[in-house]
Amino acid sequence: MGIRALRLKTFLAVAGLVAGGALVASAPVAAAAAPDGVVQSPQIDRLTQGQAEKFWTPERLRSARPVAQDVPKVAAQPQAANPVLTPGGDQFGNAQVARPYTSDFKSRVTGKVFFVNPRDGLTYVCSGSVINSTGKSVVATAAHCVFQGGAGQSIWSSNFIFIPSYDNNSRPLGTWNAAQFWIPTTYFNHGNDGFTHEDDVATVAIAAQGANKITNVVGGLGWVSNNSGTINGWDTHGYPQEMYGGQNQLHCIGNGRDAGGFNGDTYLFTNNCVAFGGWSGGPVINASNQLLAVTSGSDRSTNSFYARAASNTWIPVLNAAQAAGF
């Protein structure tokens, strides 16, 4: 049995929705079938720029806060990173990224994700990154940020937006709306059960803004598949809400090794970085600006787990997004 780590999820309070700010419901429409090994969401009703800005007010963006972990008995005090490899890193290995975030490639392509979980009507946050796809319109994140169903239940996040280089409520590169999601079939089959899984990867189709596509505006990471084994000196970026407030982009440099998973793949695991709620879906990036994995979870005693960009999980969901024109 592989190691089960706690899911990193945070939420925004949605009490007191103002008039005109009601949720825009997702509705299924006809869509091409996904290839084997991939489940795609129904094509969702895309928020217009005006709708996104009206719903995602500065107050809602700023008021995000951690939710209790899905599994009880979370350690009151996480274990410190050992050793800390990040210059200027705190006891958990994390350091603030230098501003402006738009000036460095890794921080520029990293952004903050906001979405509504239709199961409870609450708004949540994750992290993500822009990928250099053929259609120049893909964001990578964790599957648990886009899929909210139990095993085999087609329940998907709605009102999903991505803000690259998010900086304390500033949107220097704009607000980008999702059009569709893809996750591995294995993830769909076990469902969003509150635990991390090594197949916890997703691609998000991002709607163009007129003639502008997100990768052409922001840039995009490459990727490395089949990257099992030890990988040293990578850099993970994200927006932890828990402990850090979620308004600043943080990063952590780590050395990673294999940890056993459930579906024949392995996690990338590290003792050098402790991820907190809100960092889910954030990229793990190598020195060549390639995606190695996305943040999946932490069990607070052995630090952090990352879902690798594996050939049988990440590559199919990326190819499905590209085949759909994104």
Side-chain angles (χ1 to χ4, degrees), residues 23 99 127 145 150 192 196 224 233 264-265 288 318:
L23 304 186
R99 288 179 164 91
S127 300
C145 300
N192 191 334
T196 63
V224 177
D265 296 312
S288 299
L318 175 60

Side-chain angles (χ1 to χ4, degrees), residues 128-318:
S129 58
V130 186
I131 300 300
N132 190 22
S133 65
T134 54
K136 308 299 183 184
S137 302
V138 171
V139 161
T141 190
H144 72 261
C145 300
V146 307
F147 181 67
Q148 306 307 328
Q153 294 179 314
S154 188
I155 303 174
W156 303 82
S157 301
S158 63
N159 285 45
F160 190 106
I161 62 169
F162 176 75
I163 303 177
S165 300
Y166 176 92
D167 184 359
N168 195 25
N169 245 331
S170 172
R171 313 180 193 196
L173 298 173
T175 301
W176 298 79
N177 306 323
Q180 201 153 17
F181 311 120
W182 292 266
I183 62 173
T185 301
T186 51
Y187 195 93
F188 182 81
N189 288 342
H190 62 64
N192 191 334
D193 58 9
F195 295 94
T196 63
H197 292 271
E198 75 277 19
D199 54 5
D200 189 14
V201 296
T203 50
V204 180
I206 298 296
Q209 297 182 3
N212 295 323
K213 296 183 176 182
I214 190 167
T215 305
N216 290 335
V217 173
V218 177
L221 296 169
W223 60 89
V224 177
S225 63
N226 290 326
N227 53 21
S228 61
T230 298
I231 305 175
N232 293 331
W234 42 257
D235 193 3
T236 180
H237 285 241
Y239 290 86
Q241 219 80 3
E242 182 186 5
M243 298 288 289
Y244 297 94
Q247 301 307 310
N248 305 307
Q249 187 178 142
L250 273 69
H251 80 117
C252 184
I253 294 173
N255 294 332
R257 60 187 186 275
D258 284 337
F262 296 96
N263 299 301
D265 296 312
T266 58
Y267 296 105
L268 180 66
F269 165 76
T270 189
N271 291 119
N272 307 127
C273 303
V274 182
F276 292 93
W279 209 312
S280 288
V284 177
I285 309 170
N286 67 13
S288 299
N289 289 330
Q290 295 170 308
L291 182 76
L292 298 174
V294 299
T295 301
S296 183
S298 171
D299 65 8
R300 306 305 186 81
S301 63
T302 51
N303 298 341
S304 298
F305 297 81
Y306 307 90
R308 293 181 185 268
S311 59
N312 63 332
T313 55
W314 163 252
I315 296 302
V317 298
L318 175 60

